[in-house]
Amino acid sequence: MKRIITALLFGLQGTTLTAGEIGALALEFNHHTVPLSDGSSLNIDGLGIRYSEVTTLPVRLELVLGRIGVRHDGDPAALGFQTDGYSAGLNLTLASPRWHSLQIGADAGYRYYTADQQFDLQQMDIDWHQSEARGWLALHLSPRTTLYGCTVVTYISGSQTVNSSSPSQRDFNNDQRNGYCAGLRIDVGDGGYIGFESEQRHQRGGRLYFGRHYDL
């Protein structure tokens, strides 16, 4: 995990900014239920931070780090476990100029998750990789209010190991590769903003986030 986070940080530091360009720092709370191909599901609660900055290219680079709690519902080997751990990832966003009140864009991202729990003589380790691409359309209802929707393509590949009196090891994948989202973001002044996003089909849940833009 430390090697992955270090690599992500070095990747972020490799970008450069020019005077007047904008970055942002946000805090987010999220809850998602991810259906898996065997009929079980991952129940995930998270608290994270997002740091983004504009690169010299017409894209925004975003680093995402978080603390997670994971429960594997529907898997007998994981019964009674409530693991906790970390997540780390990168997102790239490309957005068009506004046309009247409309704007379109695309996101591509990667996230790594790892969590574990040990009690008595039992231990569970679970980790997975998630790759995702989005196409989105935003409607700027006012200078401070933006409504947006997106289509999502995502792929999850992971593994789970349980060491107990009946040890087990299994691999898993997500059940639904395609999904959609909708969200609302409001600028609250002085560079601050608040937003909520809901996702369905590929995963069910949403995230609430608070952030602030800054000039360099």
Side-chain angles (χ1 to χ4, degrees):
M1 179 62 181
K2 290 182 179 178
R3 291 194 297 269
I4 292 175
I5 293 177
T6 300
L8 294 176
L9 289 171
F10 274 115
L12 186 64
Q13 291 170 353
T15 63
T16 57
L17 300 176
T18 60
E21 291 184 308
I22 295 175
L25 183 65
L27 175 69
E28 66 178 17
F29 303 88
N30 56 74
H31 171 78
H32 293 100
T33 299
V34 181
L36 301 180
S37 57
D38 66 354
S40 64
S41 61
L42 297 178
N43 198 301
I44 308 160
D45 292 293
L47 169 65
I49 57 171
R50 289 175 177 255
Y51 169 74
S52 65
E53 57 183 39
V54 178
T55 71
T56 54
L57 300 175
V59 297
R60 180 176 292 273
L61 178 63
E62 186 175 54
L63 172 66
V64 186
L65 299 173
R67 179 78 175 170
I68 58 171
V70 184
R71 189 178 70 246
H72 192 171
D73 295 332
D75 180 11
L79 184 64
F81 285 97
Q82 177 69 57
T83 63
D84 59 83
Y86 304 91
S87 65
L90 285 175
N91 291 326
L92 290 174
T93 298
L94 176 64
S96 73
R98 293 188 190 182
W99 184 72
H100 297 293
S101 60
L102 294 177
Q103 191 174 23
I104 61 173
D107 300 346
Y110 166 80
R111 192 85 65 93
Y112 174 73
Y113 297 84
T114 181
D116 60 68
Q117 184 187 19
Q118 182 173 359
F119 63 89
D120 296 332
L121 298 177
Q122 303 181 87
Q123 180 170 342
M124 175 173 160
D125 296 279
I126 184 169
D127 63 83
W128 69 96
H129 305 267
Q130 181 169 340
S131 302
E132 185 172 286
R134 294 185 177 198
W136 52 266
L137 172 67
L139 175 63
H140 298 275
L141 301 175
S142 73
R144 290 193 172 188
T145 306
T146 302
L147 180 68
Y148 63 90
C150 73
T151 59
V152 184
V153 178
T154 185
Y155 178 73
I156 290 174
S157 176
S159 64
Q160 171 186 289
T161 302
V162 177
N163 294 315
S164 64
S165 56
S166 301
S168 68
Q169 194 281 329
R170 55 162 296 185
D171 298 326
F172 58 84
N173 301 100
N174 53 323
D175 183 45
Q176 298 290 339
R177 303 288 174 84
N178 302 316
Y180 51 90
C181 78
L184 178 68
R185 190 173 113 164
I186 301 173
D187 294 332
V188 295
D190 294 326
Y193 60 89
I194 181 174
F196 175 77
E197 179 178 290
S198 176
E199 295 180 281
Q200 293 294 326
R201 197 169 187 268
H202 64 299
Q203 60 184 24
R204 299 182 301 274
R207 65 186 181 99
L208 175 68
Y209 55 93
F210 310 85
R212 185 179 180 85
H213 295 292
Y214 57 88
D215 296 323
L216 299 177

